[in-house]
Every structure is written in C-alpha cells, then in structure tokens.
Amino acid sequence: MRENWFKFWNHPRTKAVRHWSNITYDVSWNIILFLIIGVLLVGSFSVGAAGGYFASLVKDTKAPQLTEMKQQVNSYAITSQIYWGSGEKLTNISTDEERQPVDIKEISPYLLDAVLSTEDVDFYEHDGVVPKATLRAVLQELTNSASRTGGSTLTQQLIKNQILTNEVSFERKAKEIILALRLENAMTKDEILQAYLNVVSFGRNSLGRNIAGIEAASRGVFNKPAKRLTLPQAAFLAGIPKNPYYYTPYLQGGVIKKDLTPSTNRMKTVLKRMYVAQNITKAQYEKAVKYDITKDFAKTSTRSRETYPYVYDLAEKEALKIMTSYFMKQDGVKEDEVKPSELAEVKANYQDQALVAIRQGGYKIHLTLDKKIHEAMQTPAKNAANFPSTLQYKQVVDPKTKKTVNKKDPEETAAVLMQNETGRILGFVGGRYTDGAADDFNRAFQAKRQIGSTAKPILVYSNGIENGLITPASTINDEEYYYQTVPRQPGDNPINNEGGRYRGNVTIREALELSLNVPAVKTYEKMNMSNSIQKLVDMGIEIPDNIRYAPSAALGTMEITPVELAGAYATLANYGEYVKPYIISKITKDGKNIYKAKSKKKRIYEDRTAYLTLDMMRGVFDKGTAQYANSLLKVPGDWAGKTGTTNEIKDSYLVGSTPGVTLAVWTGHDQNNSLFGATTYYQRTQNVWAQMANLTYNANSSYFKSGARFNQPASVSANDFKNTGRFKEEDKKKKEAEAKKKAAEEKKKQAEAEAKKKADAAKADDAKQKADDAKAKADADAKRKADDAKAKADADAKRKADDAKAKADADAKRKADDAKAKADADAKRKADAAKAKADADAKRKADAAAKKAAEAKAKAEAKAKKKANEDKKNTE
C-alpha cells in the first residue's frame, strides 16, 4: 500500500490531480514551516525567560571554593555536649556509634549497583544534573501532579543534605543545580558517591537509634560490615533512604515492626530496577525476590552503657522533649490547634527532627546536677553491704518462650536530692547497678509505686490543718476502726497500725511521729477527699479517678515516682509553694540560649499550713519512726521528714528536708517481692538515706542551708498549738456513752463467763467417767488383740522357717546337679579338644615329612640328571 501511495504522489494520472497535489503540498509545507518557526520563537522566548528567572534565583549565590565544598559535603555532624550543673563537661552526645564513615572500596558492589539503579542510573555519565529529569520535576511541581518522579541526582541530593536545606522552593532548587555542577569539578564521581553513602539516613538500627551512612546501616540492621552485604541485603538497604523511618525495620527501642510489607516491597522494587539496568541476571533477580530478608535482621540489642548511664539517658530524653517543643514553636505549631488524629504523627515528625538536631547540631546541654553530689549518692547504692546478700526471685512469663521462669529480683533503691527553692535536681540514683551495670529503668523518674505513710503529711494532716479541722495538738482516739465512707464487706479487717496495737487517745503530732494509721484515716474521712487529692494534682502528679474518693489514699495507695514525692515534700519546705523539679537548666548553641529553665512557683498550701506540718515532721527524726536515721545522720540542720511503708512491706521510704534541700529515698523490688526482715527493712532504708545525706553534705554543703531553720511565719498563732480544731474525739457525751456501752458489754461477758464455767465443770465430770470406762474397755481389747497377734506371729514365723528350709534344700540340690553337669561337660570338651589337637599335629608332621621326602627326591633326580649330562658331554 505504501508503494502505491508514493507512486500516486510522485506520478499523478491526470493533470488536474497533479495541479491540486502541487497546491496541497505547497500549502502544507508553508503551514509546517510556519509552525516550526513559531515553536522555535516561543521556545527561544521560554528558554530566555526561564534562563532569566533562573539567573535571578541564583544571582546572590556565591560560588564557594572547591576545597570548601569538599570539606562541607564530608562534614557529617557537629557533636553535641552535656555539662554538669557544677560546670564540668560530662560527655558528648555523639553520632560515632550511629555513623561509621567507610571507603567506597569497602562497600559491597551489590550495594553500589542497587543505589545507582534506584537513585541515579546515569550517575557516571552526567555532570551533576540531568536537565530532562529536572524539567520533568519542575513541570510536575507547576502542575501539582499526583505523580512525582523526582529530578535530583545523587550529587544534588548530597548538596541538599550537606550544604543547603530541605526547603521546598525553586530558589533552593536553582542553587542546588549550580552547586551540583560545581561539586562535580571539586570531587571525582567515586568521592561523591562515597560521601553520599556516608551521610544519607537509613532510619533506625537494632538499638532503636537513628543511623546514617551505609556502614552504620549494615551493622545496625544486618550486623555485618557493608563489604559483606548479600544481594537481597544490599537491595533492602538501598531502598531505605527514599523514606527512612517508613522503610526501616525497627521502631524506637529497637523493636522490629510487626508489618514489614512496605519495606520488603521496596526491596523488590530496587531488585527490579537492578535487573532492568542489567546489573544482575534474571536468575539472581528471581532468587533474591523470593529471599526472606526478615531472618537476617539483627535482633533487638541492648545499648552500650556509658560512665553515667542514668544521667546520659535522662539528659537525652529531657532534651528531646525540650527541642521537640522548640521546633514546633519555631514553626508556629500549637498542640491544641492540631487535630487529635494528627497530633501523634506531627509530634513524632518534630521529635525525629529534634533527635537529629540534638545529636548532630552542636548543642550544649547544661544539667542541674552537681557532679560531686551525684557521684556521692551512687556510693551507698552500689555498696552491696547495704542490702540483703540473699537474692529473691519472682516467677514471670518469658515473652519469647512463653514459659514461666524464675527471674532474679534483687532489692533495689532510688533517690532524689533537689534544691527546694529552685526545683533543681542536684543528684539522683536510678538503681543499684546490680552485677556492676545499670539497666534501662530509671527508678527515680520512672518507678511509679505506692508511697505508704509518706502520704500523711502532704495529703492528710496538711489539708486537715488548712481546713481548720485539726491542729498539731488535736486529740484523736487510736482504736480498732473500719473505713466509714465505703460499704463494709464480710471479712473486712480493721485498719491496723504497724506493730499491730492501738494506743488510745493521741495527739495529731504523736500520730504523725509514730505513723499511726487509724488517726490518719479518721482525719482524712472528715475532709473532702477529692479536694485534698487535687493538691497533689496541682503539683503535676497524676492520680486516677478511683483514688479521688478512696479513704485508703490516706495510707498512700496512689502511685508516685520518687522525684514527684521529693517535689511534694519540697513544697512544704518552700512554705507551701510548689516548684516543678527539673534536670536541664539550659540548652545553648553558638553561645546563644535555645532554652533556659524558669522556676515558676505555684501556691499549694498556706504558709501557716506548711510550717505547722513541718513542725510536726521534726519529731519524726527526734522521737518518731526516723530515729534510726537520725542516729546515723552527721549533717547539722533543721531536719523534718517522714517514713513510709506499703502493704506486705513491698516499699520502704524516708523523705527528709532542710530549709535548703529535700532528699527522698526508696527501697523495694522491681517485681514487688516483700522486703527481707520485718523488723530490719526500715533500717536498711534509713541507713542508705543517712549515708547519702552525709556524703552529699561532705561533697557540697552549700545547698543544705544547715545553719538555717524553718522560721515560723506571722500567720501562725499561739492557738495553732492548742486543741482548737473542729475534730474533737474526746467529746464528753460520746465518751460517757462509750463507757456505759463498754461496762454493759463487760457485765454481759462476766455473766456469760460464769455460766460457761459451770457448764464446763459438769461436762468435765461426765467426761471423766466416760474416759475411765473407755480406758478399761480399751485395755481389755488391747490385751486380747495382743494375744491373738502373738499366736498369729508364732504360726507365721514357723511356717516361714519351714518354707525357707525346704527352699534352701532344693536350691542346694539344684546347684549341686548343675555343678556336676557343668564339670562333665567341661571334661568332655577338653578331651575332644586335646584329641583334635593331637590329630592335627600328627597330620601336620606327616605332611611335612612327605614334603621333605618329595623335595629330596626332586633334588636327587636333578643331581642325577646333571651328572648324566656332564658324563655325556665328557664322552663327546
């Protein structure tokens, strides 16, 4: 058909057709020529306009020196630092563990091919920029296309990551292009590729830490160096930089994600591109696609510990919170303006940004901790002599095997020393360092435990004083008592004091000093319990709703961390003003404050309330439950505090304050075992507390204000030390009624006792007669049974003896017969053997003689033959 058309066009059959064909050709050619010229003019104008716009974007961009560019792209991170509150440098927050620079020669060829096939297939051919790809990306951006293929080469990505920012704008893109072209003149292709692979992010490793660079990624994900990566492993890692925290196999904490489908699908995409680029064969591709990459992942690892593990981890955690808020504020993002469904994702993104900044941004994190004080607090905690030598165990379910196992559960401790006025934490103990190492659980800040009787000053008596219900001199009856504000159930036990006895009428001061439970509950039930709990909530302590109206809260059933408890006691020492405890004083960069802590005080109690409570707490050390600690204490000063114990002796506390500081100490078991020694456990707690107080005072006494006292404010009057409260249990009518009731009960008990005594006497006589009769009958029965038993025993013994003799005779005969038969058999066997041996010897000798005769005969014949031959020869 094509030939017929050309034949028709070149050789028209008629003149008319030829005429119109020529006209059509001329018109068509002119139209095409006009369109070509138009397109060229528009294109020239567009190129000129684009060039002008591009020039305007980069006109202020200074071309950096080539050596400077090379230095910038190979600068991976600026190490952040942590400083003690006392000024000394503590440590670096470094990326050394998460980024390990590696030479390109030490990287698996599979990985290099995978990255180039996925990110920049023409890397070794272009000059840093691919115009076609860049134009496509610009058009997609202008048209807001749903499909974004990207237009950046590896060189451009390196420029963006190391020299520019992640800002999305045409100006940044234009600068990126210019600098990429210039970088290609500063470095070889291998140097650029090596730099890219050493800076690009790969998400998280098996420690849960952020990783950057292929070597850290290879070791952190597959636990092997980059040069030993297999094809599937290389493809998996090469796919991560596209969206590091989406494709990484690990969550925070190093836990492997439950759904790894996006990550494995991304690996298959990379393998497909490697196959299309002819970097691998079809057989390699098919084998790698089917490979189960999940079995190669490194298991969740335990992070290496540093010299001050609890400090380092806490500093990083608190700094992350601060920097996350900082970046959100910088971008004008307010939590209350973000949709609840999006808040978690938004905060997570800013948290990732903050984490990178902390580790690579060159920040200086200044703590409140005094180095000497903090180190002094660790000494009692690490001293095994301060704790039981016998280990306890707890049965727990192993999360891996799902089997019940016995887990070691040593007695632990935690402590916090804070400055009352400012809220600065001067030192803390996160744990005992059992087996010479710390764990990931900072008990001082993370262990939420019931606080026992340490709740009485901050929840019961302080609020009772503030409500005008009691004074330190108010009298209350310590007696058998049940909760009155909750329904009583069958089997409920009365409220007990430690030691199991009641002391009758006591003052509130005495009740606090001796830590009596009944007076505390009676006082608490007379108040609005929810309003009292609100005081703790106002101090930032989370209290469940079910505790708000529970009278048992008076005995410390709410769960509070040691640092929160220290903050609550410091509120009393501050005459009722709460200051939130904090551990980071400021964060700086390039000498400028990014963050600086501010001590904001909040009024919780009236100063009168705080002082009267403190005044009662002085007696805890002088003549109350903390006398043992007081006997070991070598720190001068005005001490006020409180002990605490929870049910089944699972927790033990001592919190003490001077006008300058508050020291809170807890001992217990992580697995909630009871403490050893029902009468000595509190001595261990108080011993540790006293050692910490003494050692920290020696380390830096300036914080303690040991020369000062808690001064009585003007709001306290003489009546505050009298029984002037509304709660008066010694009411005369009530006491008389109780006395009459008690007398009636005693009289009734006496009458019942007399009647019982007479009845018991009559029963005793009857019982004696019955006992005598029973004894006589029993003796007769016993004698008859004994005679019968003896006769039976004699008969049994004779029968057994006869049987034994018959059996012995039979056995002896059988053995004799067996022995004779065996002897005869042995004799016959030996005779047969001797005869056989003699026959064999005779035959052997005969055969030897015959052989010898044959040999002699043959020898004689040979000799005769030889002689005959010689004679014949001589004859001839």
Side-chain angles (χ1 to χ4, degrees):
M1 181 176 181
R2 188 176 179 185
E3 292 178 1
N4 292 333
W5 170 253
F6 278 111
K7 184 176 180 182
F8 170 76
W9 182 262
N10 294 322
H11 304 285
R13 297 179 179 179
T14 63
K15 185 176 181 181
V17 171
R18 194 162 48 245
H19 171 72
W20 287 109
S21 295
N22 289 331
I23 292 174
T24 301
Y25 172 80
D26 291 339
V27 171
S28 300
W29 171 250
N30 287 331
I31 291 173
I32 293 171
L33 187 62
F34 176 77
L35 290 173
I36 292 172
I37 294 172
V39 169
L40 289 174
L41 289 174
V42 171
S44 299
F45 177 79
S46 299
V47 170
Y53 180 64
F54 183 89
S56 69
L57 294 176
V58 299
K59 63 182 178 63
D60 296 328
T61 303
K62 295 181 180 179
Q65 296 294 325
L66 298 183
T67 55
E68 181 183 349
M69 289 190 71
K70 189 172 182 179
Q71 183 179 1
Q72 282 181 289
V73 297
N74 285 294
S75 178
Y76 303 130
I78 303 174
T79 303
S80 294
Q81 301 169 331
I82 303 176
Y83 289 84
W84 293 101
S86 42
E88 306 94 329
K89 181 181 176 182
L90 191 155
T91 187
N92 291 335
I93 295 183
S94 176
T95 58
D96 291 344
E97 292 181 357
E98 292 77 35
R99 186 197 306 275
Q100 302 176 32
V102 62
D103 191 277
I104 194 170
K105 296 177 182 178
E106 297 297 312
I107 301 174
S108 166
Y110 287 132
L111 188 282
L112 299 178
D113 289 338
V115 169
L116 294 178
S117 300
T118 306
E119 299 292 335
D120 194 347
V121 70
D122 297 319
F123 174 74
Y124 281 98
E125 280 72 43
H126 63 64
D127 295 323
V129 178
V130 177
K132 179 176 65 175
T134 302
L135 180 61
R136 181 176 66 247
V138 170
L139 291 174
Q140 289 172 346
E141 184 67 29
L142 290 173
T143 59
N144 197 26
S145 173
S147 175
R148 304 294 176 92
T149 57
S152 296
T153 62
L154 289 185
T155 311
Q156 289 175 266
Q157 293 182 47
L158 185 60
I159 290 293
K160 180 182 70 174
N161 290 335
Q162 295 298 95
I163 298 179
L164 300 176
T165 67
N166 289 324
E167 175 191 5
V168 180
S169 67
F170 287 113
E171 181 179 358
R172 196 271 297 161
K173 194 70 176 179
K175 292 178 180 178
E176 177 184 299
I177 292 172
I178 291 295
L179 294 176
L181 293 171
R182 186 165 179 78
L183 184 63
E184 291 276 341
N185 294 321
M187 300 171 67
T188 65
K189 286 288 187 179
D190 282 351
E191 287 175 338
I192 293 172
L193 180 57
Q194 176 179 298
Y196 171 83
L197 290 174
N198 278 326
V199 303
V200 68
S201 173
F202 286 89
R204 296 188 181 92
N205 61 13
S206 59
L207 291 169
R209 292 201 184 265
N210 293 305
I211 48 175
I214 187 58
E215 184 70 11
S218 181
R219 293 181 183 275
V221 177
F222 296 117
N223 198 25
K224 61 165 57 175
K227 65 181 179 181
R228 290 174 48 202
L229 289 171
T230 64
L231 174 58
Q233 292 168 349
F236 184 90
L237 292 180
I240 292 178
K242 179 74 173 178
N243 193 335
Y245 295 98
Y246 183 65
Y247 293 126
T248 182
Y250 299 103
L251 299 169
Q252 285 185 346
V255 179
I256 296 178
K257 294 177 179 177
K258 292 182 179 180
D259 184 11
L260 291 166
T261 304
S263 305
T264 53
N265 286 343
R266 176 65 179 163
M267 179 192 78
K268 293 174 183 178
T269 299
V270 173
L271 289 169
K272 182 69 173 180
R273 292 180 180 178
M274 292 179 73
Y275 173 62
V276 171
Q278 298 183 349
N279 286 319
I280 57 175
T281 64
K282 185 176 182 180
Q284 286 177 308
Y285 166 73
E286 290 176 347
K287 182 178 179 180
V289 164
K290 296 176 182 177
Y291 186 79
D292 181 13
I293 194 67
T294 60
K295 68 181 182 181
D296 291 350
F297 293 152
K299 295 180 180 178
T300 302
S301 306
T302 302
R303 67 180 66 180
S304 60
R305 310 308 293 166
E306 302 187 27
T307 308
Y308 303 96
Y310 290 119
V311 177
Y312 184 91
D313 291 346
L314 182 61
E316 188 177 69
K317 180 180 177 182
E318 294 299 311
L320 183 60
K321 291 179 184 176
I322 292 169
M323 293 303 294
T324 299
S325 298
Y326 171 77
F327 284 123
M328 291 178 70
K329 185 177 180 181
Q330 289 291 101
D331 288 349
V333 178
K334 298 180 181 179
E335 289 190 26
D336 56 356
E337 295 179 357
V338 179
K339 295 180 180 178
S341 59
E342 299 175 357
L343 182 59
E345 183 179 355
V346 170
K347 290 189 74 172
N349 290 335
Y350 278 102
Q351 190 177 56
D352 288 338
Q353 182 182 348
L355 188 58
V356 173
I358 289 171
R359 294 183 176 174
Q360 303 179 9
Y363 293 93
K364 292 185 177 180
I365 301 168
H366 298 265
L367 305 180
T368 62
L369 301 175
D370 183 289
K371 182 180 180 182
K372 292 182 179 179
I373 285 179
H374 184 80
E375 289 181 334
M377 293 180 71
Q378 311 312 308
T379 302
K382 292 181 178 180
N383 186 356
N386 289 332
F387 304 91
S389 58
T390 303
L391 280 176
Q392 292 197 58
Y393 293 84
K394 187 80 171 183
Q395 285 193 335
V396 297
V397 178
D398 189 311
K400 296 180 180 178
T401 63
K402 306 301 181 185
K403 295 181 179 179
T404 300
V405 296
N406 285 328
K407 184 176 182 180
K408 187 189 297 183
D409 190 26
E411 185 170 301
E412 273 290 353
T413 190
V416 174
L417 179 68
M418 66 173 287
Q419 188 178 31
N420 299 329
E421 185 178 1
T422 64
R424 293 180 62 196
I425 297 172
L426 303 175
F428 71 90
V429 171
R432 273 186 57 195
Y433 298 81
T434 52
D435 299 327
D439 49 32
D440 290 327
F441 187 52
N442 187 337
R443 294 156 188 82
F445 289 80
Q446 294 176 285
K448 283 187 171 291
R449 311 279 298 207
Q450 292 188 1
I451 60 172
S453 292
T454 58
K456 292 170 184 174
I458 58 176
L459 179 64
V460 180
Y461 298 127
S462 54
N463 287 300
I465 292 171
E466 190 139 298
N467 292 331
L469 189 66
I470 59 172
T471 67
S474 294
T475 306
I476 194 165
N477 191 16
D478 180 32
E479 60 183 342
E480 183 178 290
Y481 184 80
Y482 294 84
Y483 291 116
Q484 302 296 302
T485 55
V486 293
R488 185 170 165 184
Q489 302 295 328
D492 281 356
N493 294 318
I495 298 166
N496 285 323
N497 294 320
E498 188 169 358
R501 73 184 186 91
Y502 303 105
R503 289 171 173 77
N505 283 334
V506 294
T507 64
I508 293 295
R509 183 184 296 276
E510 291 171 331
L512 179 61
E513 290 171 350
L514 300 176
S515 196
L516 303 179
N517 290 336
V518 171
V521 173
K522 282 184 174 182
T523 303
Y524 191 60
E525 287 188 323
K526 291 290 183 181
M527 297 186 290
N528 185 314
M529 291 182 282
S530 180
N531 289 348
S532 299
I533 286 287
Q534 188 60 39
K535 297 280 190 180
L536 301 182
V537 175
D538 290 343
M539 287 187 257
I541 299 171
E542 294 182 1
I543 305 292
D545 290 339
N546 64 314
I547 299 292
R548 274 190 174 270
Y549 305 98
S552 60
L555 305 181
T557 54
M558 71 287 292
E559 295 181 341
I560 297 178
T561 62
V563 69
E564 291 172 332
L565 187 60
Y569 271 70
T571 302
L572 293 173
N574 283 332
Y575 298 94
E577 286 187 320
Y578 169 75
V579 182
K580 184 178 181 180
Y582 64 96
I583 196 169
I584 294 181
S585 59
K586 64 179 179 179
I587 298 177
T588 64
K589 183 175 182 181
D590 300 328
K592 297 180 181 179
N593 286 341
I594 301 300
Y595 163 83
K596 188 172 184 179
K598 296 179 181 179
S599 298
K600 293 183 179 179
K601 295 187 176 182
K602 181 190 295 185
R603 174 62 62 184
I604 302 296
Y605 309 108
E606 297 174 359
D607 59 354
R608 167 184 170 274
T609 298
Y611 177 78
L612 291 174
T613 306
L614 285 168
D615 187 55
M616 292 191 294
M617 290 163 60
R618 285 166 166 156
V620 174
F621 283 97
D622 295 335
K623 50 188 174 181
T625 54
Q627 290 181 78
Y628 184 75
N630 198 30
S631 70
L632 303 173
L633 186 60
K634 299 177 182 178
V635 180
D638 191 8
W639 284 97
K642 184 69 184 73
T643 59
T645 306
T646 59
N647 283 342
E648 300 178 15
I649 316 179
K650 291 182 177 179
D651 305 272
S652 177
Y653 293 89
L654 176 55
V655 187
S657 299
T658 70
V661 298
T662 293
L663 173 62
V665 171
W666 163 86
T667 56
H669 292 271
D670 291 340
Q671 302 298 326
N672 277 326
N673 272 313
S674 296
L675 293 165
F676 272 131
T679 59
T680 59
Y681 72 91
Y682 73 91
Q683 292 180 340
R684 294 196 299 275
T685 305
Q686 295 187 28
N687 177 44
V688 170
W689 183 93
Q691 288 184 33
M692 288 186 182
N694 295 336
L695 290 170
T696 53
Y697 180 79
N698 292 336
N700 190 340
S701 62
S702 62
Y703 293 106
F704 285 75
K705 294 185 179 180
S706 56
R709 287 186 62 81
F710 292 110
N711 294 320
Q712 180 175 310
S715 57
V716 177
S717 67
N719 286 335
D720 290 326
F721 296 97
K722 299 177 182 178
N723 186 7
T724 56
R726 299 193 310 272
F727 189 70
K728 299 179 181 179
E729 277 213 352
E730 72 279 11
D731 182 85
K732 187 175 180 180
K733 291 182 179 180
K734 181 178 180 181
K735 292 187 74 176
E736 288 176 354
E738 289 176 349
K740 289 180 180 179
K741 181 180 179 182
K742 188 173 183 180
E745 289 176 349
E746 287 294 331
K747 188 175 180 180
K748 183 180 178 182
K749 286 181 181 178
Q750 287 179 2
E752 290 174 349
E754 288 294 333
K756 185 174 184 296
K757 185 176 180 181
K758 291 179 180 179
D760 290 342
K763 287 181 180 178
D765 290 340
D766 291 342
K768 186 174 182 305
Q769 183 61 46
K770 289 179 180 178
D772 291 340
D773 294 342
K775 184 175 182 302
K777 185 175 183 298
D779 290 342
D781 290 342
K783 186 175 184 306
R784 185 179 67 256
K785 288 180 180 178
D787 292 340
D788 293 343
K790 184 175 183 304
K792 184 180 179 183
D794 291 342
D796 289 343
K798 186 176 183 305
R799 185 178 67 255
K800 288 180 180 179
D802 294 340
D803 292 344
K805 184 175 182 304
K807 184 179 179 183
D809 293 342
D811 289 342
K813 185 176 183 305
R814 186 177 66 256
K815 288 179 180 179
D817 293 341
D818 291 344
K820 183 176 182 303
K822 183 179 180 183
D824 293 342
D826 289 343
K828 185 177 184 304
R829 185 174 64 254
K830 288 179 180 178
D832 293 342
K835 182 175 182 303
K837 183 179 180 183
D839 292 343
D841 289 344
K843 185 177 184 301
R844 185 172 63 254
K845 288 179 180 179
D847 291 342
K851 183 179 179 183
K852 196 170 183 181
E855 289 175 350
K857 182 181 179 183
K859 188 176 181 181
E861 289 177 350
K863 186 176 180 181
K865 186 177 180 180
K866 181 179 180 182
K867 187 175 183 304
N869 290 335
E870 289 176 352
D871 292 342
K872 185 179 179 181
K873 186 177 180 181
N874 291 331
T875 304
E876 291 176 353

